Amino acid sequence: MASSTMGSGHSRGKHNDGSNGGTTPSDYVEDYVCNESDLQENEMKAFDMPDDSGKVLVIKQKGKITAIGSKCTHYGAPLIKGVLGDGHVRCPWHGACFNVTTGDIEDFPGLDSLPCFDVSVEDGRVKVKAHKDALKSSKIVKAMTSPCGKDSRTFVVIGGGAAGACAVETLRQEGFSGKIIMITSELALPYDRIKLSKMLDANIAKLQLREESFYKDHGIEVHTGKIVSSVNTTDKKVCLDDGSEISYSRLLVASGSRANTANQPGSELGNIFSLRTIADANSIFKVLNKESDVVIVGASFIGMEAAAYCVGKVKSVTVVGRGSVPFEPILGQEVGARIKQLFDEKGVKFCLGLDVSSFEGEDSVSRVKLSDGQVLPANVVILGIGAQPSTSFLLDSGIEMQRGAIVVNKFMESSISDVFVAGDAAYAPVFAANDRAASIGHWQLAHYHGRIAALNMVGKQTELKSVPFFWTMLFGTSVRYSGYGAGFDDIIITGDLAALSFIAHYCVGNEVVAVATVGSDPAAAKFAELLGLKKSLSKDDVKTNGSSWVNASLF
């Protein structure tokens, strides 16, 4: 006796198994992958399909058996090593989430969804049928609506970063058939910005999230090199600095951040760089050589990643930071000290607990004078001293703001009707922090904001349920972080900090509010799932049981 437990769905003419409908039986493989009894409730297993065609991830949850692609669409992490949440599987590396039934991406980074495959149960055996191409790529673009002349609405998106890119795709995926206009001040299409500090020689063609043809094919106008000067929220017009205006029905502000610049004497000298755009990264790369003395100002993510990139390519690298160790405000003293040791071993010099008092030189910088009087040789300076929301064009718009960021509710709506906000520019509730509002500049969160904003723009009311997740890679060591640890008052470290195999638990009172992990996957993903389920982890529990929570059931 045969019974079907779950079949692949269809959406607006495109199969979610990655096929386009014009396929033949030879394009598919199918096989019995396991016995039904081999899968327990809330369990997932990966199985090889015939002819070395690839793996499928098979999940049993709520009595249903489903099968989806086995690799995260962001960087290809094996999802079997991730965490099964309530209706989705979370990537162990960077926290992206995929629906176990449809394969749709629900949290980020990345833009692509997973294919899902036909599953049937025959005489107690689980059979999976999968399209060969989908198995090989393990990613699909979710079906998108075409623009229609009968829909007179115009949705304008200010910003071409992660939030804007995710939003315009979501609008089309969720049935919006009006006009979409994306405006970006950069000359490039949306690209993977967080790679810039890790690879200053980045090629825009390799970083672009989508090809130009993608936007054209889906009726998304992208206006590059355009600067928004103001927004008239009464007349619903976006005003550009060239004097032109664009009318909107609904507006999404996803303008991101602008890098902080130096204001000390000599900061106007040449070869002093902020690092925000691909143009910044390429400009820095052009002046680096084996004789360069590089000074990095700032000991957090941008600064430390840039320092790691420069090692071995230049004469010397010196990091200047106000804290006693790198990353101190975010990761704490002990973890920061261990990361500093990584850099010490690579020959990076540190001047900590100090600030720059001036930059010196003729036309270009040649020296950096510090607050304690010492002078560093420097013919290249890279500034990694934070960023501010890029929202100055809204100062006269009447939109409510908080410390430069735009105040939004759980639906990403601003104080002005039909104006939504996403990404770094948003002062938004953080679900993982009991809806405490904050402006958080995370790549993952920007994607997620963009999706939620777009859903609400098309009338599909969806609440923001944000769980921050970020990461860095330093000399081959990956640090992952989930939660919201602002204002932590204690840190409990389990594992072996010296061996770079540990979990740091950041606590406020008796509650663990965030974790940072190294060599402990999928702990960060597991903690993100705890927060997403509104479950808590106590400091007392960690003190008593260590990191046993990582292996405990979520259900």
Side-chain angles (χ1 to χ4, degrees):
M1 180 178 179
S3 63
S4 176
T5 57
M6 179 58 62
S8 62
H10 303 272
S11 177
R12 287 185 289 278
K14 183 171 180 178
H15 299 251
N16 65 348
D17 66 354
S19 67
N20 60 14
T23 58
T24 65
S26 63
D27 295 322
Y28 290 84
V29 291
E30 60 181 332
D31 197 14
Y32 294 103
V33 296
C34 66
N35 293 321
E36 186 177 13
S37 60
D38 293 335
L39 285 169
Q40 303 302 310
E41 178 68 12
N42 294 315
E43 184 178 24
M44 58 182 180
K45 291 184 177 181
F47 297 101
D48 290 311
M49 293 297 284
D51 305 323
D52 294 322
S53 53
K55 289 181 180 290
V56 293
L57 188 69
V58 179
I59 302 112
K60 184 175 184 180
Q61 193 167 65
K62 297 178 181 177
K64 292 183 177 180
I65 298 175
T66 57
I68 57 177
S70 65
K71 296 183 293 185
C72 178
T73 61
H74 181 225
Y75 283 169
L79 293 175
I80 188 61
K81 295 184 178 181
V83 177
L84 180 60
D86 184 10
H88 62 251
V89 59
R90 184 181 290 270
C91 171
W93 292 357
H94 305 128
C97 294
F98 302 91
N99 187 287
V100 299
T101 300
T102 65
D104 291 347
I105 189 167
E106 295 181 340
D107 204 342
F108 304 85
L111 293 171
D112 293 323
S113 294
L114 292 171
C116 75
F117 306 116
D118 284 331
V119 175
S120 60
V121 177
E122 301 175 0
D123 298 323
R125 293 193 297 169
V126 177
K127 179 189 278 188
V128 176
K129 179 182 178 181
H131 193 275
K132 292 177 182 178
D133 289 345
L135 276 173
K136 183 177 180 180
S137 68
S138 200
K139 63 172 66 176
I140 64 168
V141 176
K142 190 176 175 181
M144 302 174 77
T145 295
S146 298
C148 173
K150 295 180 180 179
D151 191 335
S152 61
R153 295 172 296 171
T154 298
F155 285 4
V156 174
V157 176
I158 300 174
C166 191
V168 296
E169 292 195 24
T170 302
L171 289 173
R172 286 285 186 245
Q173 290 165 358
E174 297 301 326
F176 179 68
S177 58
K179 192 173 186 178
I180 299 176
I181 300 174
M182 175 190 283
I183 304 168
T184 174
S185 60
E186 293 196 56
L187 297 175
L189 295 171
Y191 60 89
D192 195 343
R193 187 183 306 279
I194 62 169
K195 288 185 178 179
L196 297 179
S197 51
K198 303 174 183 72
M199 43 189 293
L200 299 173
D201 57 342
N203 183 320
I204 186 59
K206 294 181 179 179
L207 293 189
Q208 281 182 180
L209 301 178
R210 300 293 192 199
E211 298 291 333
E212 183 178 1
S213 59
F214 176 89
Y215 297 103
K216 289 182 177 178
D217 290 346
H218 298 294
I220 300 167
E221 295 182 25
V222 184
H223 297 189
T224 59
K226 299 294 185 181
I227 297 174
V228 176
S229 57
S230 64
V231 173
N232 183 330
T233 57
T234 301
D235 296 337
K236 290 189 172 183
K237 293 182 183 295
V238 174
C239 308
L240 305 182
D241 69 347
D242 62 6
S244 62
E245 296 180 340
I246 300 174
S247 296
Y248 66 85
S249 306
R250 284 189 161 172
L251 173 68
L252 175 64
V253 179
S255 49
S257 298
R258 53 178 177 79
N260 290 335
T261 56
N263 56 12
Q264 294 94 334
S267 59
E268 75 286 350
L269 291 169
N271 286 3
I272 298 175
F273 301 94
S274 296
L275 179 50
R276 175 69 185 173
T277 68
I278 191 163
D280 296 333
N282 291 169
S283 294
I284 297 169
F285 178 73
K286 287 178 182 178
V287 299
L288 293 178
N289 58 60
K290 286 291 186 180
E291 299 305 313
S292 297
D293 290 306
V294 178
V295 170
I296 311 283
V297 183
S300 194
F301 291 93
I302 296 294
M304 296 300 286
E305 289 171 357
Y309 173 85
C310 289
V311 168
K313 301 178 180 68
V314 300
K315 181 180 178 182
S316 68
V317 179
T318 304
V319 175
V320 178
R322 293 176 177 175
S324 63
V325 295
F327 302 106
E328 186 172 19
I330 302 167
L331 301 181
Q333 214 284 330
E334 288 183 83
V335 176
R338 183 62 185 90
I339 293 174
K340 178 179 178 295
Q341 186 181 339
L342 281 177
F343 283 74
D344 290 337
E345 292 166 356
K346 297 292 184 178
V348 176
K349 301 172 186 176
F350 286 89
C351 296
L352 297 171
L354 298 170
D355 205 345
V356 172
S357 60
S358 65
F359 301 97
E360 301 176 351
E362 298 301 323
D363 295 325
S364 295
V365 67
S366 58
R367 298 173 301 279
V368 174
K369 187 174 182 179
L370 303 184
S371 52
D372 67 348
Q374 67 176 299
V375 177
L376 305 175
N379 43 34
V380 178
V381 172
I382 302 173
L383 304 174
I385 52 177
Q388 300 295 323
S390 183
T391 56
S392 59
F393 61 92
L394 295 172
L395 292 178
D396 297 322
S397 66
I399 296 174
E400 182 183 357
M401 302 176 75
Q402 182 71 244
R403 294 194 292 274
I406 305 165
V407 177
V408 298
N409 61 19
K410 292 181 181 181
F411 306 103
M412 306 309 296
E413 298 171 310
S414 75
S415 61
I416 299 293
S417 177
D418 293 326
V419 177
F420 296 75
V421 190
D424 298 9
Y427 189 74
V430 181
F431 180 80
N434 297 315
D435 288 330
R436 172 183 173 186
S439 176
I440 301 176
H442 292 173
W443 185 245
Q444 163 263 339
L445 197 57
H447 283 82
Y448 181 67
H449 276 184
R451 176 176 183 265
I452 299 301
L455 286 167
N456 287 295
M457 289 173 76
V458 298
K460 297 184 177 182
Q461 193 173 65
T462 307
E463 287 191 9
L464 184 68
K465 294 187 176 180
S466 51
V467 179
F469 196 113
F470 62 88
W471 62 92
T472 188
M473 173 77 80
L474 303 165
F475 300 119
T477 297
S478 293
V479 182
R480 316 199 199 286
Y481 184 106
S482 62
Y484 185 59
F488 65 85
D489 53 39
D490 197 8
I491 307 173
I492 308 297
I493 298 176
T494 59
D496 192 336
L497 181 63
L500 293 172
S501 179
F502 67 88
I503 304 172
H505 305 75
Y506 299 88
C507 307
V508 174
N510 193 39
E511 182 182 1
V512 179
V513 295
V515 299
T517 76
V518 175
S520 303
D521 290 341
K526 184 66 170 286
F527 188 73
E529 283 305 310
L530 281 173
L531 296 177
L533 291 169
K534 278 295 181 184
K535 296 187 176 184
S536 61
L537 177 65
S538 72
K539 180 169 69 172
D540 288 343
D541 183 49
V542 175
K543 284 184 173 180
T544 302
N545 301 308
S547 56
S548 62
W549 61 269
V550 178
N551 298 314
S553 174
L554 285 168
F555 304 100

